[in-house]
Amino acid sequence: MALRLTQTVRDYDTVARLGGDEFVILLHHSQENSATAVADKICHAIAQEFLLEGLRLHTSCSIGISTFPDHGLEYDVLLRRADMAMYQAKSLGKNHFSLFSDALEREGMEYWQLETELREALERKEFELYFQPKINLATGAVCGAEALIRWNHPVRGLLTPDMFITYAERSDLIIGIGNWVIHEVCRLLHQWDLMGVPPMEISFNASPRQLLESDSLIAQIEESLASFSILPQRLTMEITETALMQEKTWKTAHEVVKCGISISLDDFGTGYSSLSLLQKLPFSSLKIDRSFVRDFIDNLTDGTLVRAIIGLTRDLGMEVVAEGVETQIQATTLARYGCQIGQGYFFSRPIQTTQFLEYLKTA
């Protein structure tokens, strides 16, 4: 990696490693256009295949660019702004670079403000779990639910995960938030048991950062299960393909299964390595992404893909969950194709705990 980086710049430029997988390159006497040209050259160089001990490896990079004096006069300012631009590049996908702008500065200020508020939210207990029922498509009975976090923001009102999880992912806060979700799911299951609510399976989402922090995740799972006397078979951890892009997370997934908790592959079909993941990890279920379910009735291609996914998953001995079910005809057709479980607005939106318990009484 170091050799490829140094080969893309001039002899009098500086290449340094900040730590982990982060590098800094100082281009002397360069203008904006030459900096972007070098960034493009680096992206192409890093994307080339690595041969390591007989293995062919591929990697990518994200590059943020800031220039002196346009974007700052001091080193720490230039580094911070290049870091902002790097996160912008990451959001564009693999092997991109991005140049700092005033708009990024405004977004950066918003990020630091929201990070502070997120820390306070954990302390003030502003988070809440909503539940979206999962329905057995053959019988119409509730067979479980997905726990979804909401933030009761004191000023902005009720916030859904898409409005704050990205910010939490960029800091260590996602670990604390993820731990809270696991603890709260177990606490509520224990409370429902005392109320006489019929036992059911509850799924929760795991973030990429949680899966990279294996010891912390497993410790939280074991502590929560033990504290509330919950059988691990009542929990399912949903993992997206994106979260499993690093092989280190595969070991964590196996450790979770060893605890007795099932794992489900979420948003199937939207990532890069679905079939290989099904081969390498012990999934108990698979969720067909809503982007396929939305149009599969009228779109021949989507319909063919949905049937193929259901057939493949059932042949592998896994349950199939279709998310984003919004109409009766979708539910009926999915059941006819062999899909066991449906989830979506046709059955219920995500609802508060008290509403969910009422839903169970009438379902």
Side-chain angles (χ1 to χ4, degrees), residues 232-251:
Q233 291 79 9
R234 297 176 65 182
L235 298 183
T236 295
M237 186 171 74
E238 298 190 8
I239 311 171
T240 64
E241 294 175 64
T242 304
L244 293 166
M245 288 178 67
Q246 297 187 52
E247 289 191 25
K248 184 179 178 181
T249 62
W250 301 359
K251 178 178 180 293

Side-chain angles (χ1 to χ4, degrees), residues 29 75 105 108 166 212 283 341 362:
H29 308 297
Y75 164 77
E105 179 78 8
T166 301
L212 289 171
F283 294 107
I341 300 171
T362 59

Side-chain angles (χ1 to χ4, degrees), residues 39-60:
D40 186 56
K41 187 178 178 183
I42 291 171
C43 285
H44 282 90
I46 298 300
Q48 298 304 306
E49 184 178 83
F50 284 88
L51 188 62
L52 182 63
E53 296 181 356
L55 296 176
R56 298 181 181 277
L57 305 176
H58 296 85
T59 187
S60 60

Side-chain angles (χ1 to χ4, degrees), residues 181-229:
V181 168
I182 295 168
H183 179 274
E184 186 68 1
V185 166
C186 290
R187 185 188 72 81
L188 287 171
L189 281 174
H190 176 68
Q191 185 182 88
W192 297 348
D193 288 344
L194 295 177
M195 296 168 59
V197 177
M200 72 181 71
E201 170 266 336
I202 298 294
S203 65
F204 63 93
N205 296 280
S207 75
R209 284 287 300 277
Q210 280 181 286
L211 293 171
L212 289 171
E213 301 285 343
S214 176
D215 292 344
S216 172
L217 176 61
I218 300 302
Q220 182 63 48
I221 288 172
E222 292 177 341
E223 187 275 330
S224 298
L225 291 173
S227 294
F228 298 105
S229 302

